[in-house]
Amino acid sequence: MSETDFDFNKLPERRGTGSVKWERYPDYIPYWVADMDFASPDCVVEAMQHRVEHGVFGYAHPHKGLIEAVLDYLSRVDGVKISEKSLVHLPGMVPALSQACRAFCQPGDKVMINSPVYYPFFKVAADAGASVIDVPHIRDEVTWRFDWDAMENAVTSRTKVLILCNPQNPLGRVFSKEEILKLAEFCQRHQLVLVADEIHCDLILEPDQVHFSALKLPEELRKRLITLKAPSKTYNIAGLGYSFAVIEDDQLRSDFNRARGCTMPEINVLAMVAAEAAYRDGEPWRRDLIEYLRENRDVLASFIRQEMPILKIHEHAATYLYWIDCSELNLSNPCQFFAKEAGVFLTDGEPFGSRQHVRFNFGCPRDHMLAGLQKMKGAIDQKLASSSGLQST
């Protein structure tokens, strides 16, 4: 079967496989952690099977095929020519964020982030004894944006790192070239290291939007830049643990590598094999995935607007994670409400910086997605009917 014949409507049986998504909260139907309910592309599975047949799994390092596949991917997708020495291979994105903070912060320093954002952004600064300056994104009539004035007012001489999430998780924003340029100029002006987490960059759902990688910034703005990428979210191989950094400045790269320490694990040999196969041969599957996710997103948005209008949503251009505003339900914890009343487990918005939101993972077969939405609607209808009954008495 070719990659383009992949059946995204098939829900694999994941219980009993050690799945965090399906087994951590077994009493609920899961739509939470950023892990799709699709099997990985055949090219990835076959490459791993071929490597397993070799039978020897000693210490491994990034092999020639992986390096060539990553460099070709960067050239093909981002249009940049990167030297091999600029690559730093890593066992995961969150460890990379932690390493960046430890490399460039001392105890008492600050790391700037913009919430709501992937919750480890709030935590990695502590690994360096640093603290977080959170300057929340602001919402206008069109979209979520950086609060430039607030960022200028919040930055201090002890601020050393700014962590960017682009495409933005959980907002689904794809920041424009102009926004990334302005952010890089802000970092240059205040002598901050810009750490650009681009893990979702291959999951742009809007055909008319293009991801502007920080790697495409002018040379003078890349001297304090660390760009992080991975095939994990796109090809559903997060459990294998592989990511990479592009750090073109020699001194910056040396400082980053020196902070690795002795707690960072080695990269799994199968993770490197899977990453090579994904980047080399997975593009047809990825294109089909994007089409399926786009349709899922549209169905989800239509369902919410028509069947659950009390929930508020905004435009969503990237990722398979939808950010949903539940504030009009007047709940102390929307995530707990949907778990208890609908049997549906979503991602709680509070660790992301927004208590009245939940995040819905629509990276799954459409019927399965709709089943969860129907359960949410039932819980909301029951709550509204109960509230109405109390008011009438």
Side-chain angles (χ1 to χ4, degrees):
M1 182 176 73
S2 70
E3 301 293 8
T4 54
D5 293 329
F6 186 87
D7 184 6
F8 290 99
N9 288 307
K10 180 181 179 181
L11 181 66
E13 176 54 68
R14 301 190 61 187
R15 290 189 175 91
T17 66
S19 166
V20 168
K21 182 177 183 178
W22 283 83
E23 296 179 16
R24 180 167 292 178
Y25 306 104
D27 295 332
Y28 308 108
I29 305 174
Y31 300 91
W32 63 294
V33 68
D35 171 343
M36 294 186 292
D37 289 311
F38 305 128
S40 294
D42 288 346
C43 63
V44 169
V45 176
E46 290 166 3
M48 293 176 66
Q49 288 173 335
H50 180 72
R51 181 62 182 82
V52 166
E53 289 173 358
H54 182 265
V56 179
F57 308 104
Y59 295 118
H61 70 128
H63 55 280
K64 181 180 178 181
L66 171 63
I67 294 167
E68 290 177 346
V70 169
L71 294 177
D72 176 72
Y73 159 78
L74 293 171
S75 175
R76 172 170 44 85
V77 174
D78 292 320
V80 295
K81 297 292 184 182
I82 301 296
S83 67
E84 180 181 337
K85 73 172 186 176
S86 297
L87 295 180
V88 180
H89 303 270
L90 297 155
M93 191 67 76
V94 175
L97 295 173
S98 173
Q99 185 170 327
C101 291
R102 289 183 283 110
F104 303 107
C105 293
Q106 297 296 322
D109 285 341
K110 308 288 185 180
V111 175
M112 184 173 284
I113 65 173
N114 306 99
S115 68
V117 72
Y118 181 46
Y119 69 90
F121 280 36
F122 288 92
K123 299 182 177 183
V124 291
D127 292 344
S131 59
V132 166
I133 299 175
D134 176 22
V135 183
H137 288 289
I138 53 176
R139 173 88 170 130
D140 61 21
E141 293 180 359
V142 178
T143 190
W144 296 86
R145 302 189 185 280
F146 291 102
D147 190 339
W148 300 109
D149 291 340
M151 290 169 66
E152 291 287 355
N153 291 332
V155 70
T156 72
S157 61
R158 296 299 301 270
T159 311
K160 303 300 181 183
V161 172
L162 186 150
I163 308 178
L164 165 70
C165 187
N166 182 36
Q168 218 278 356
N169 170 21
L171 300 180
R173 268 291 324 264
V174 180
F175 294 114
S176 67
K177 174 182 178 180
E178 291 72 25
E179 288 172 303
I180 301 303
L181 280 168
K182 188 171 182 177
L183 190 69
E185 289 166 352
F186 171 85
C187 290
Q188 183 187 57
R189 186 165 60 254
H190 295 288
Q191 297 185 311
L192 311 182
V193 175
L194 173 57
V195 181
D197 176 349
E198 300 186 358
I199 195 169
H200 294 282
C201 66
D202 296 315
L203 292 167
I204 311 298
L205 306 184
E206 283 298 318
D208 61 347
Q209 293 200 28
V210 178
H211 173 253
F212 181 81
S213 174
L215 294 172
K216 300 173 77 170
L217 286 164
E219 183 178 357
E220 65 271 17
L221 296 178
R222 301 200 308 271
K223 292 179 180 178
R224 298 176 66 82
L225 171 66
I226 297 173
T227 305
L228 303 174
K229 292 179 179 277
S232 52
K233 301 301 182 186
T234 306
Y235 297 98
N236 212 29
I237 52 176
L240 293 175
Y242 172 78
S243 65
F244 65 92
V246 179
I247 312 175
E248 295 178 272
D249 184 83
D250 292 340
Q251 186 61 55
L252 197 73
R253 186 171 61 256
S254 176
D255 292 343
F256 179 80
N257 284 329
R258 194 160 43 243
R260 183 182 181 97
C262 297
T263 60
M264 187 80 79
E266 299 290 332
I267 304 170
N268 185 309
V269 59
L270 293 180
M272 292 188 281
V273 169
E276 177 190 356
Y279 282 141
R280 192 181 298 280
D281 301 315
E283 180 59 15
W285 184 91
R286 188 196 70 86
R287 287 197 296 265
D288 287 353
L289 170 71
I290 293 299
E291 288 186 16
Y292 193 87
L293 291 177
R294 185 185 302 124
E295 292 176 7
N296 266 11
R297 177 206 59 186
D298 293 345
V299 169
L300 180 150
S302 177
F303 188 98
I304 289 177
R305 291 188 176 111
Q306 294 178 22
E307 304 293 338
M308 298 184 286
I310 197 168
L311 302 181
K312 303 305 177 186
I313 55 176
H314 58 273
E315 70 290 331
H316 181 98
T319 82
Y320 47 82
L321 307 163
Y322 218 118
W323 194 234
I324 303 173
D325 183 351
C326 305
S327 56
E328 292 189 16
L329 284 172
N330 296 315
L331 300 166
S332 59
N333 188 307
C335 182
Q336 290 181 5
F337 168 78
F338 285 116
K340 181 180 178 181
E341 303 300 331
V344 167
F345 199 86
L346 309 172
T347 299
D348 190 345
E350 184 169 7
F352 289 67
S354 187
R355 178 177 295 180
Q356 288 301 314
H357 283 75
V358 294
R359 193 187 70 173
F360 188 106
N361 180 342
F362 60 89
C364 58
R366 194 159 301 134
D367 286 348
H368 178 66
M369 178 188 75
L370 285 168
L373 292 172
Q374 288 285 0
K375 288 179 177 294
M376 291 171 65
K377 169 180 163 53
I380 290 174
D381 288 348
Q382 186 172 4
K383 181 183 187 302
L384 294 179
S386 175
S387 298
S388 177
L390 289 173
Q391 292 172 2
S392 65
T393 58

